[in-house]
Amino acid sequence: MNLWLVMIAIGLITYATRLSFVLIFGQMEMPHNVRRALRFVPAAVLSAIIFPELLIRDGTLYLSPANEHLLAGLLASLVAGRTKNALLTILTGMSALLLLQALTHQF
Amino acid sequence: MPSFPSPRRQFLAGITAELPILLGVIPFGMIYGVVALAAGLTAWQAQAMSAIVFAGSAQFITAQLVGAGAPGLVIILTGGVVNLRHALYSASVAPYIKPLRPLWKWLLGYLLTDEAYAVTITHYYQNTPADPSHEVGPPSVSRHEHWYFLGSGLALWSTWQASTAVGVFLGAVIPESWPLDFAVPLTFIALVVPALRDRASVSAGVIAGVVAVLAVGMPLKLGLIAATIIGIVVGLWVEARA
C-alpha cells in the first residue's frame, strides 16, 4: 500500500480518537471496561515490538550472552526504570550497542 | 464579577507551562526524523507524518514497520491502536471545552497529545471547583482557559515539527553503518518501562512481548496484533484478580 495512504489513515484514526468525546460523545461517559482496557494498550503494543527486536535474530530466537541487542536493551531498561530519563536511556542503550559491536568485531 | 486573565495571558501561560516538557520532546523529534529516513521514508514523508499523525509513538511504530516491510493494513491497525489512549484524554477534557464553538473543538482536538494533555488537565483541575455537581464548562471558558490549552498545544506542535526537521537533516548526513534502527526499541523502552507501575501493566507488557516473540513466524506481522490483544486481556485479568 502507498505509504502516503497509510500515513493519512493513521492520521485520520488518531484525529477521530482525539475528537471522539470532545465532539461526538460529549454527553456520554466512557464505559468502565473500555477505560480499563485502554490503560494497557501502550504497554502491550510497545512491548510486543521491543521483545522481538531484542530477542529475534534472522527469524529465530537468539537467547545468548553474545546477543548485543539484548544486553544493550536490558541495560537501557535498567536506566529507564531507575532514572525515568528518556534521553539518558536512549544514549546508554546506543553506546552499549556500539561498544559491544566494536568489541565483537575486535576479537 | 471577578476579573479573569486575558486570552493573551492564558495563551502565554500555556506556552510557559509546556516549556519543561519540550526539553524532553526535542530529542524524541530528532530521533524520529533520523529513524524515519533510516527506515526508508523520504524527507517529505518523514516531515509530513509529524503534521498528519502528530503522535510520537505511532510515528515511530510506522517507521519501524515500514522498515520491516509490514503490509499497510497492519501498520494502520497498530498505529491506530496505540493512539486509542487519546480517547481517554478526549473524555477527560470534553466537559471543560463543551461550551466552545465547533472550530475550537476541531483545533484543540488536533492538538490533544500526551504532552499538551498533561499540562492542560492539571491546569483545569487546579482552576475548577472540585465539586462534581458544579457545572465545570462555562466558568472555565469565561476564564479563557481554552487559550491556555491552545498555547501548550501549539508550543508542542511547533517544537515537534522543528525537531523532526532537524532529525531529517541529521539523518541525511549520518553514516549508514550506524545501527540507528536500534533507536526505535530504545525509545519504546524509555516510554514503557517507567509506565510499568503495577503488576497488571507489567503482566500486560511481558505477556505481549513473549507472545510477540513466539508468534514472530506469523505472516504479515499479525503476531504483533495478536500479542497486543492477549497482553491487554491478561492485564485486565490480573487487575480484576487483585
Side-chain angles (χ1 to χ4, degrees):
Chain A
M1 196 186 297
N2 185 314
L3 184 54
W4 285 104
L5 287 179
V6 171
M7 284 187 341
I8 290 168
I10 298 177
L12 285 177
I13 294 173
T14 305
Y15 194 26
T17 312
R18 285 170 173 164
L19 281 178
S20 57
F21 285 84
V22 167
L23 205 64
I24 306 155
F25 315 122
Q27 326 295 333
M28 254 173 59
E29 188 71 16
M30 184 184 284
H32 180 62
N33 284 331
V34 176
R35 188 180 287 266
R36 279 180 58 216
L38 284 181
R39 183 167 84 84
F40 296 113
V41 169
V45 178
L46 297 181
S47 302
I49 292 177
I50 296 167
F51 276 53
E53 284 284 331
L54 302 185
L55 287 166
I56 303 289
R57 175 78 58 88
D58 301 325
T60 50
L61 187 64
Y62 184 38
L63 202 57
S64 149
N67 180 345
E68 303 115 353
H69 288 83
L70 179 59
L71 295 181
L74 287 175
L75 186 65
S77 307
L78 207 66
V79 173
R82 283 278 165 84
T83 68
K84 301 191 192 311
N85 183 325
L87 190 58
L88 193 64
T89 302
I90 296 164
L91 288 178
T92 306
M94 214 50 167
S95 315
L97 181 68
L98 287 170
L99 196 70
L100 288 166
Q101 285 185 337
L103 287 173
T104 317
H105 292 307
Q106 200 91 43
F107 303 111
Chain B
M1 184 85 187
S3 67
F4 296 127
S6 66
R8 189 189 136 89
R9 268 235 343 244
Q10 289 282 21
F11 184 74
L12 292 176
I15 295 176
T16 312
E18 195 66 37
L19 287 180
I21 295 186
L22 295 183
L23 284 181
V25 166
I26 292 168
F28 265 124
M30 289 170 52
I31 293 167
Y32 159 72
V34 171
V35 163
L37 284 203
L41 276 76
T42 67
W44 279 115
Q45 286 171 330
Q47 187 70 50
M49 181 146 67
S50 276
I52 296 172
V53 178
F54 188 38
S57 37
Q59 291 180 227
F60 273 102
I61 285 172
T62 305
Q64 205 266 347
L65 291 179
V66 167
L73 216 55
V74 170
I75 304 177
I76 293 170
L77 216 56
T78 313
V81 160
V82 80
N83 275 342
L84 280 182
R85 69 182 184 286
H86 289 107
L88 284 175
Y89 307 158
S90 188
S92 146
V93 298
Y96 297 98
I97 62 177
K98 202 163 91 184
L100 292 174
R101 274 176 297 158
L103 191 65
W104 268 101
K105 293 183 181 176
W106 286 91
L107 179 62
L108 294 180
Y110 172 67
L111 296 172
L112 187 60
T113 54
D114 301 88
E115 292 83 0
Y117 169 76
V119 165
T120 304
I121 200 69
T122 312
H123 180 74
Y124 276 134
Y125 282 160
Q126 284 167 354
N127 292 282
T128 307
D131 179 13
S133 65
H134 186 88
E135 178 55 56
V136 291
S140 74
V141 166
S142 53
R143 279 199 303 272
H144 307 301
E145 274 162 8
H146 46 299
W147 284 94
Y148 186 98
F149 192 160
L150 184 68
S152 64
L154 280 182
L156 183 81
W157 188 87
S158 19
T159 306
W160 187 244
Q161 306 310 319
S163 52
T164 299
V166 175
V168 166
F169 174 75
L170 285 178
V173 294
I174 290 175
E176 268 185 37
S177 58
W178 291 21
L180 283 174
D181 46 349
F182 195 53
V184 179
L186 287 175
T187 306
F188 291 164
I189 287 172
L191 289 173
V192 82
V193 172
L196 299 177
R197 278 176 304 226
D198 55 314
R199 274 195 29 206
S201 51
V202 172
S203 315
V206 171
I207 296 295
V210 170
V211 173
V213 167
L214 295 176
V216 83
M218 271 174 85
L220 311 176
K221 291 246 163 201
L222 282 173
L224 178 59
I225 310 280
T228 304
I229 295 169
I230 294 172
I232 293 169
V233 170
V234 168
L236 286 170
W237 180 70
V238 170
E239 192 185 52
R241 261 183 8 140

